Amino acid sequence: MTLERPIPAFYCCYLLRSTVRHSSVYIGSTPHPVRRLRQHNGLAKGGAVRTARQNLRPWEMVCIVTGFPSHIATLQFEWAWQNPHITQHITPEERIQHATQKKRSGHPKRPRHSVPSLLSNLHILLRSPSFTRWPLEIRFFSKDVHTAWVKWVEATRESIRPSIPIIEDFPPPREILSENDRISDPISKKRKLDHGLDALPIDYTNQKVHVEKAKEIIDFEREGKCKICNIDLEHGEGLFTICPQIGCETVTHLTCLSTHFLSDDKDALVPIAGKCPGCETELVWVDVVKELTLRTRGQKEVQKLLNAKRARKSKVGTASQPVIQSSDIEESSYGDDLDPNLEDDIALEGVIDSKLGAGPDDNWHIIDDSDISEAESVNSKSSRTSKQSKQKLSPKKPKAVKLKTVIEDSWDEAEVLD
C-alpha cells in the first residue's frame, strides 16, 4: 500500500515531443526520466507502443511536473493530463477540449493533443483545488515550449499559485545534442552535467543531512518538549517533526506544526510552507514530512542512504581481511608441518655458537624453563629468548611438547660433559 511507503524521492509527469514531427506528443510518468527516455527511443527495453514508431524517433522530454507526494498521486495527475476532456478535475466552464467522437465501447474518444493544448490544460490542472496545494514544480527543457507556456499565461486571466516554481532548464547552445548523439559520445557520457535530465535529484541524497540529524536526536532520546505546545514528547510515541536546519533541534508534534503553518490560511487542510518556531527559518512542508515518512516507514531507504558508501568500504575490508588472516595461517601451519626444519634451525644455531666459542656438542643453550636456575649465563638467556620466539611462531601445542623432549635430552648430554 502507498501509506506503508515514504514519500518518494522523485516522481514526475513528463511531456514528450517527437524531434522529427513536433505535432506528435506523448504524456507519461516515471521515477527515472533518463532511463524512461532511453526506453521511448529504443535504446533500452521497455517504452510505450505509441512511441515505438521509428519514423517518429528520437523523442525529447520538453517539460516535466515534479513534487508528487506518492506514486498514486502521480498517476492521478497523469490521467487527468491525458484526458482533459473527461477529467473531473477540470470544471465544465474551464474545459477547453471536448470529445467529438466516441469509441466502439461508447466512451468519449480522446481529442488530438498538441503542445499548446497540453500546456493550457496543464495550467488549468495546476489551478484545480485537487492539485493547487501540492508541492509541485514545472521544469522546461526546451525554449520554444517555454515560450508557448508564457504566451498562454499572458493570455489567460487566471494564474497559478505563486509558490509553484517555473524552472527554465535549458542547455547551452554548444551542448544541445540529440539523445542518440549524447549516448554515443564518450565525452558526454563521462561528463557530469549540471542541467537537464541528468542533473535531476532522483534519490534521497538531498535529505541525507536531515535524516542523519533526526536519527541522532531520536536515537539519543533528545526530543524534549514540543516547541509549540510545550508538552513533553514521549520517546517512540506519536509523530514528531524535526527542523532540517543545521544547528536547530526544534521538535514539534505533527499537528502542532501543521496548525502553526496554517495560521494565516485556516480554511486549508494541507500546509505549503511556514517558519520554524525555533529558528524562524522558512521551511517547506513537504521537506519536513518527507523526513518523517522516511523515519517511520522507510527503514530500507534510510539504511541504503546512510550505509551506501560505508557498505562498499566494509565490503573491501572484509574481502581483504580474510586474505591476510588466511595467509598468516598458511605461513604458521607451513612452519608447523616442517619438523625437520626446526631441527635444522637448532643445528644451525649450534654451528653459530661453535664459531662464537662453544663446542659443536654443547647444546646447553636449548634449556627447558624448569631448569633455568642451573644455567644463568647470558648466552643461555639469549638462546631461551630465541626458543620462545620460535614457539610463538608455531601455535600448535603438540609441536612445542615435542621440542621440550629434545631439549631435556640435550640437557642430559650437557650434564655428562660437565
Side-chain angles (χ1 to χ4, degrees):
M1 297 295 294
T2 305
L3 294 178
E4 298 177 356
R5 301 176 182 177
I7 296 178
F10 184 88
Y11 236 106
C12 73
C13 289
Y14 58 86
L15 169 59
L16 284 187
R17 182 180 65 176
S18 171
T19 58
V20 180
R21 190 173 65 186
H22 284 185
S23 60
S24 298
V25 293
Y26 178 85
I27 298 294
S29 63
T30 179
H32 201 304
V34 175
R35 180 183 62 193
R36 189 58 177 165
L37 184 58
R38 288 174 53 86
Q39 292 175 342
H40 283 300
N41 287 327
L43 301 175
K45 293 183 179 180
V49 178
R50 295 183 58 190
T51 60
R53 296 173 57 181
Q54 294 294 334
N55 58 345
L56 296 179
R57 288 176 173 173
W59 296 82
E60 60 177 347
M61 198 170 290
V62 295
C63 172
I64 63 173
V65 182
T66 63
F68 296 98
S70 66
H71 177 207
I72 301 300
T74 312
L75 296 179
Q76 291 175 348
F77 191 89
E78 175 190 2
W79 192 91
W81 198 5
Q82 290 175 344
N83 302 276
H85 59 294
I86 57 176
T87 179
Q88 299 298 321
H89 298 292
I90 298 179
T91 61
E93 295 79 11
E94 293 183 329
R95 201 182 305 276
I96 58 177
Q97 281 187 304
H98 303 273
T100 58
Q101 298 178 357
K102 291 186 178 181
K103 300 180 182 179
R104 294 180 180 178
S105 59
H107 296 289
K109 189 176 182 180
R110 181 184 301 171
R112 187 175 183 84
H113 290 315
S114 62
V115 171
S117 66
L118 288 174
L119 293 179
S120 59
N121 287 316
L122 174 61
H123 193 275
I124 297 174
L125 288 174
L126 293 176
R127 302 197 316 260
S128 172
S130 304
F131 308 119
T132 185
R133 300 192 66 85
W134 285 9
L136 303 179
E137 69 176 27
I138 309 174
R139 189 178 295 264
F140 291 96
F141 303 105
S142 176
K143 284 187 176 182
D144 62 312
V145 176
H146 178 260
T147 302
W149 167 267
V150 173
K151 288 182 179 179
W152 172 259
V153 172
E154 293 176 351
T156 185
R157 297 179 181 179
E158 303 292 336
S159 60
I160 62 175
R161 178 170 50 86
S163 58
I164 297 180
I166 309 298
I167 303 174
E168 303 175 13
D169 197 352
F170 309 142
R174 60 181 180 180
E175 293 189 6
I176 297 179
L177 298 174
S178 65
E179 179 68 11
N180 295 331
D181 294 337
R182 189 181 65 82
I183 298 300
S184 60
D185 187 5
I187 299 179
S188 62
K189 288 174 64 176
K190 295 181 180 180
R191 183 172 60 243
K192 186 176 181 180
L193 301 178
D194 57 353
H195 61 270
L197 297 177
D198 296 295
L200 293 175
I202 61 174
D203 54 13
Y204 290 104
T205 303
N206 294 338
Q207 285 76 34
K208 184 176 181 180
V209 177
H210 190 191
V211 170
E212 290 177 340
K213 171 187 172 181
K215 187 176 184 302
E216 182 180 357
I217 293 176
I218 298 299
D219 291 347
F220 289 94
E221 301 183 9
R222 300 205 314 263
E223 295 91 341
K225 295 183 178 182
C226 176
K227 192 69 175 179
I228 299 176
C229 65
N230 203 28
I231 298 178
D232 291 334
L233 302 174
E234 297 182 5
H235 179 71
E237 299 291 337
L239 299 176
F240 308 144
T241 59
I242 301 175
C243 177
Q245 292 298 317
I246 300 177
C248 178
E249 294 191 359
T250 299
V251 185
T252 62
H253 292 103
L254 178 64
T255 54
C256 291
L257 188 65
S258 174
T259 305
H260 177 70
F261 280 9
L262 293 174
S263 58
D264 297 334
D265 192 2
K266 296 182 180 181
D267 295 333
L269 295 176
V270 180
I272 299 176
K275 291 185 178 181
C276 172
C279 62
E280 297 186 354
T281 303
E282 188 73 18
L283 303 178
V284 180
W285 174 255
V286 67
D287 294 338
V288 179
V289 178
K290 183 178 291 187
E291 184 280 323
L292 175 61
T293 59
L294 283 172
R295 187 183 349 127
T296 55
R297 304 195 297 258
Q299 285 75 18
K300 293 182 180 179
E301 289 79 2
V302 171
Q303 184 178 5
K304 182 179 178 181
L305 176 64
L306 300 182
N307 299 335
K309 294 183 178 180
R310 296 179 183 177
R312 286 195 292 267
K313 291 182 180 179
S314 61
K315 185 177 181 180
V316 174
T318 54
S320 60
Q321 186 174 0
V323 174
I324 298 175
Q325 293 177 354
S326 61
S327 61
D328 293 339
I329 294 174
E330 290 178 358
E331 292 176 0
S332 300
S333 60
Y334 180 77
D336 291 337
D337 294 337
L338 294 180
D339 293 338
N341 287 349
L342 292 178
E343 296 178 358
D344 293 340
D345 293 340
I346 297 173
L348 181 60
E349 290 182 1
V351 174
I352 296 174
D353 291 339
S354 64
K355 291 184 179 181
L356 296 175
D361 296 333
D362 195 0
N363 295 331
W364 53 268
H365 60 283
I366 313 177
I367 303 177
D368 188 70
D369 294 338
S370 60
D371 299 325
I372 294 177
S373 59
E374 299 182 8
E376 296 181 350
S377 63
V378 177
N379 293 332
S380 64
K381 290 182 180 180
S382 61
S383 167
R384 186 170 64 253
T385 303
S386 63
K387 167 203 158 184
Q388 292 176 355
S389 62
K390 289 182 181 180
Q391 290 179 351
K392 290 180 180 181
L393 292 176
S394 57
K396 294 184 178 181
K397 292 183 179 180
K399 303 301 179 180
V401 174
K402 185 176 180 180
L403 186 59
K404 289 182 179 180
T405 305
V406 176
I407 293 173
E408 291 177 357
D409 294 340
S410 62
W411 177 247
D412 294 337
E413 293 179 1
E415 289 181 349
V416 173
L417 289 175
D418 290 339

